[in-house]
Amino acid sequence: MDADCSRKLMRPGMLQRCKDMGYKDVKECVAKDQLCVNACNKLGTCVAGVCHCKKGYYGIDCALSMGQDGKPVLLAGKGYATRAKRPWVYVYELPPELSAWYNHRRLDRPTHMLFAQRLLSSGARVADGDLADYYYIPVRQRSAPESSLLVDAIKYIQQHYPWWNRTQGHKHFVIQTGDWGRAEMDPNLLQLADNMTWLSHWGLTTDRHEKILRWVPSYRPEKDVVIPVFISPGHFVKFSMIHTPLNPANKAKPRDKAKFFFAGRICYNSKYPTKDSWPHCGGDHWAYSAGVREKVFVSHWNRSGYHVARSEKRYGLYLARSVYCLAPPGAGHGQRQIQALFMGCVPVTIADGVAEPFEPAVSWSDWGVRVAEADVPQLHTLLDDIGPQALAEKQARMRCAAQHMLYSSITGGVFGEDGAFDAFETALEVLRVRAAHPDARQEDFRKLDAAFDAFMDCREPPGPRPAFSRLSGLLPDAPALAQLQAEEAAEAAAEAAEAAARGSKGSRRGDREDEDGDAAEEDDEEEDGDAAGDEDAGVDGGERDEAASGNPAAGLQVKARPPAAPGTPPLLALCSHAYADIHNHDRSCYYVMRGGGYMGVPGGAICARGFKSRLAQCPRLWA
């Protein structure tokens, strides 16, 4: 249909529209696969990524309607209330071709859409932009060709909303997931969006493009925020995070495999480096990872206690049982520092002029080791100089730090955490302090804001009147939860029956375009590309992201939950992927996340059991 839904397209026009949106055919395009934001809150029908809302509702997820006072409201009549904890975020409603008309299964980095879903269930989203602290523009910004989406979105916002012109673009933010951050976008866009805040994975602050392709300044500490790479649930298994020693329920084992570990691509061309001549990678060896991986290999590949290799089949085991792990960049941003941290291996970051996630508001040196590129040959000496007490202090800080780097309220947990300090909440917390202290440097945030200092230490805010209050994050009692789950199951059964009826009717007509394509299309999902530019993590790069496709993780035999024993503590609303929880039939995300699809569960994993269609009642982590 046209953008204004005023007339139907004939099949040739519909096919072209679907292909433009990234679908291979009309059947896939119109399949009812719950790949709309928040599954339209059960207030509309999802078609090709766009919510067709019921009368009286509108918006990217049908959450909006007009109140009696003529102002927009969220989830009217369902008990939605904005939480007290700031910041409050207004999400712009944009034409579908800018925000939603796209095959979400082809999104290798869906962070911007998952973030939009979580804003509503967290209570941080507001319907009235006059009340907002920040304004979120929910367009994908993955690479330079998508610059036009944001340019058109800004122009649309300037014409239809007052807040961009009122703030000159300040207090507006967008999420960019590319390897080289905002600097890889079109220069005209960067000029237009100069006052905006960019949330991106790449924290380069210095110009190094003469030697390294695309390494130009990207991150502006006074405006932008470096956020962690989104690690999908399927990679929890791939990187052995389900066995992380940081979870108290998992039995910790001695870190006796290696003092220092790295396995993965070393040369830009994916080949194994030669040991016969320098440069070992040959050719333009600075083009990849700033030459860091090659330098480390050259200096330490055969050092006693150091395991530096092109690949390692027992990658997860080495992460869990090594003391220090190399965390180099890839072509641009990497995710090795996140993997190492999740497994309790002290990350050794080597990338001059590159800020790690949430730096400089926090310091990765508190739990990691930063080494200058020029000091790589002396790496072993630097690590030897770290005494047992200093190492123990770093290791003690890692469990809290790891919580800040995982989007656990979206994906589910692995550390036994409740999600209150996850990457989503941490990004908002940095924005909160930025709004409260607009002229302050990020490195001063801890000194200026006691609540932020406590948050980054995974503590509740101090004082008799804290800046914000933490909620329990627990599920309701068993009868209430059973009732919620029964209602959702009944709704799902009714939807399945309706879809089957439509499919049967369509088959009789010979029109297959309205059939439910869930089962057929699940296997066509693209491989998760979070590690693009750094894709060979020393493990099987072809492993399919099982959780993202709605299937239990390979090799995990998930059974129905047995009845809870008398006196069992109430369950956290946040389900868990940890092996100990799966083994004990407790809080396993592989039941509740099943069927969530690539867009995940509406509202995130925190809403997975009994709340997927009731985001207003989803358990809150912060009041």
Side-chain angles (χ1 to χ4, degrees):
M1 302 178 73
D2 275 346
D4 61 1
C5 300
S6 61
R7 65 182 181 87
K8 290 185 177 181
L9 292 175
M10 296 296 100
R11 185 175 180 84
M14 185 65 177
L15 178 60
Q16 186 58 53
R17 168 61 59 82
C18 289
K19 287 186 175 181
D20 290 344
M21 294 188 293
Y23 295 93
K24 63 183 180 182
D25 53 34
V26 175
K27 175 187 173 182
E28 182 187 29
C29 186
V30 300
K32 185 179 181 183
D33 54 10
Q34 283 201 345
L35 292 186
C36 281
V37 176
N38 285 330
C40 306
N41 284 295
K42 302 295 183 183
L43 296 171
T45 302
C46 180
V47 180
V50 179
C51 286
H52 295 250
C53 303
K54 296 179 180 178
K55 185 176 181 180
Y57 294 93
Y58 67 97
I60 193 171
D61 59 356
C62 297
L64 288 163
S65 60
M66 300 304 295
Q68 293 182 350
D69 59 358
K71 293 185 177 181
V73 294
L74 287 165
L75 299 177
K78 299 183 181 295
Y80 180 86
T82 305
R83 70 183 189 181
K85 187 178 187 300
R86 301 285 185 138
W88 290 351
V89 180
Y90 181 85
V91 180
Y92 278 115
E93 297 296 338
L94 301 170
E97 62 267 23
L98 300 180
S99 60
W101 265 346
Y102 191 76
N103 182 358
H104 296 303
R105 294 185 188 280
R106 294 177 182 246
L107 282 174
D108 63 339
R109 300 179 186 179
T111 310
H112 70 291
M113 298 300 277
L114 297 172
F115 197 94
Q117 290 197 137
R118 182 73 185 112
L119 279 171
L120 183 62
S121 62
S122 71
R125 182 177 166 189
V126 293
D128 186 350
D130 288 334
L131 302 177
D133 302 299
Y134 282 95
Y135 303 87
Y136 178 42
I137 305 178
V139 300
R140 67 183 186 277
Q141 292 292 277
R142 171 68 167 84
S143 58
E146 293 173 344
S147 297
S148 60
L149 291 175
L150 185 53
V151 170
D152 291 344
I154 292 174
K155 291 179 179 179
Y156 181 88
I157 289 167
Q158 288 175 321
Q159 294 174 5
H160 295 88
Y161 296 93
W163 302 295
W164 177 280
N165 298 330
R166 188 180 297 172
T167 66
Q168 299 301 306
H170 291 285
K171 299 184 179 181
H172 287 68
F173 73 91
V174 69
I175 293 176
Q176 205 275 355
T177 58
D179 289 354
W180 299 282
R182 59 180 289 276
E184 69 178 293
M185 309 309 287
D186 185 272
N188 292 324
L189 165 62
L190 296 182
Q191 184 176 4
L192 178 64
D194 184 60
N195 291 332
M196 277 181 53
T197 292
W198 291 69
L199 275 58
S200 67
H201 306 317
W202 186 224
L204 181 65
T205 59
T206 58
D207 192 345
R208 304 183 62 183
H209 79 278
E210 289 187 3
K211 283 190 173 182
I212 311 170
L213 181 66
R214 297 189 181 181
W215 278 42
V216 296
S218 175
Y219 171 55
R220 306 164 300 172
E222 73 281 4
K223 293 182 180 180
D224 304 327
V225 181
V226 181
I227 60 173
V229 172
F230 177 81
I231 305 293
S232 61
H235 284 79
F236 296 170
V237 178
K238 182 174 181 178
F239 299 136
S240 294
M241 288 171 56
I242 61 173
H243 299 286
T244 173
L246 298 184
N247 188 326
N250 291 336
K251 183 179 179 180
K253 296 182 179 179
R255 293 190 174 272
D256 54 4
K257 287 297 181 184
K259 180 172 182 178
F260 180 87
F261 169 66
F262 174 76
R265 181 187 293 187
I266 295 172
C267 300
Y268 68 97
N269 54 10
S270 299
K271 294 181 179 179
Y272 203 97
T274 177
K275 302 184 180 81
D276 300 328
S277 62
W278 173 262
H280 287 227
C281 287
D284 190 7
H285 61 114
W286 292 103
Y288 182 64
S289 192
V292 167
R293 301 178 186 217
E294 182 184 8
K295 287 181 182 179
V296 171
F297 177 82
V298 168
S299 300
H300 306 288
W301 70 270
N302 62 347
R303 189 175 301 282
S304 177
Y306 281 53
H307 184 45
V308 182
R310 175 61 183 84
S311 63
E312 171 53 64
K313 292 182 179 179
R314 299 173 296 171
Y315 184 75
L317 176 66
Y318 269 90
L319 283 178
R321 298 185 62 177
S322 297
V323 181
Y324 298 99
C325 291
L326 178 63
H333 78 75
Q335 58 171 279
R336 301 307 184 91
Q337 72 278 52
I338 306 294
Q339 296 173 20
L341 181 60
F342 287 166
M343 298 300 287
C345 186
V346 176
V348 178
T349 55
I350 307 176
D352 295 354
V354 177
E356 302 298 338
F358 300 124
E359 281 192 328
V362 298
S363 173
W364 272 66
S365 295
D366 289 346
W367 55 81
V369 177
R370 187 182 297 278
V371 176
E373 293 173 23
D375 292 336
V376 167
Q378 291 78 44
L379 173 64
H380 58 297
T381 302
L382 297 174
L383 297 184
D384 287 344
D385 289 342
I386 299 174
Q389 182 176 349
L391 174 60
E393 290 174 354
K394 290 180 183 295
Q395 292 171 330
R397 298 185 185 109
M398 292 181 75
R399 186 174 186 274
C400 174
Q403 292 182 55
H404 294 310
M405 306 301 156
L406 179 68
Y407 296 85
S408 55
S409 66
I410 295 172
T411 63
V414 292
F415 311 114
E417 76 277 31
D418 67 0
F421 303 102
D422 81 332
F424 168 82
E425 290 289 352
T426 305
L428 291 184
E429 181 65 3
V430 173
L431 291 176
R432 179 189 71 79
V433 184
R434 170 70 55 73
H437 306 280
D439 297 324
R441 301 181 307 167
Q442 285 197 50
E443 50 262 47
D444 295 330
F445 280 7
R446 281 197 172 223
K447 300 175 185 177
L448 293 171
D449 196 295
F452 179 77
D453 185 58
F455 184 97
M456 297 312 299
D457 286 337
C458 299
R459 295 183 284 112
E460 296 185 43
R465 286 183 150 183
F468 41 86
S469 301
R470 187 175 176 186
L471 296 175
S472 67
L474 296 176
L475 288 172
D477 58 29
L481 178 59
Q483 177 65 26
L484 286 168
Q485 291 175 323
E487 291 174 3
E488 282 208 337
E491 290 175 357
E495 289 177 359
E498 181 183 352
R502 286 201 312 271
S504 175
K505 183 178 180 180
S507 296
R508 289 195 299 270
R509 292 196 315 261
D511 181 0
R512 299 180 54 83
E513 295 169 12
D514 290 333
E515 290 183 5
D516 187 338
D518 285 355
E521 302 303 333
E522 289 284 18
D523 291 336
D524 289 335
E525 180 181 331
E526 298 248 336
E527 183 179 327
D528 191 314
D530 283 342
D534 191 10
E535 63 270 26
D536 189 340
V539 290
D540 181 6
E543 179 179 332
R544 182 175 295 278
D545 187 337
E546 298 289 349
S549 63
N551 295 319
L556 295 175
Q557 299 299 317
V558 180
K559 301 178 182 178
R561 181 188 304 281
T568 301
L571 292 177
L572 292 175
L574 182 63
C575 60
S576 172
H577 294 276
Y579 177 77
D581 294 330
I582 298 170
H583 182 71
N584 296 322
H585 308 280
D586 181 31
R587 300 198 299 274
S588 172
C589 286
Y590 293 110
Y591 333 105
V592 297
M593 299 291 283
R594 187 183 303 169
Y598 201 50
M599 282 295 291
V601 169
I606 196 75
C607 306
R609 291 180 294 197
F611 302 95
K612 290 185 287 186
S613 60
R614 297 168 175 80
L615 299 190
Q617 289 80 40
C618 181
R620 295 281 179 90
L621 297 168
W622 297 98

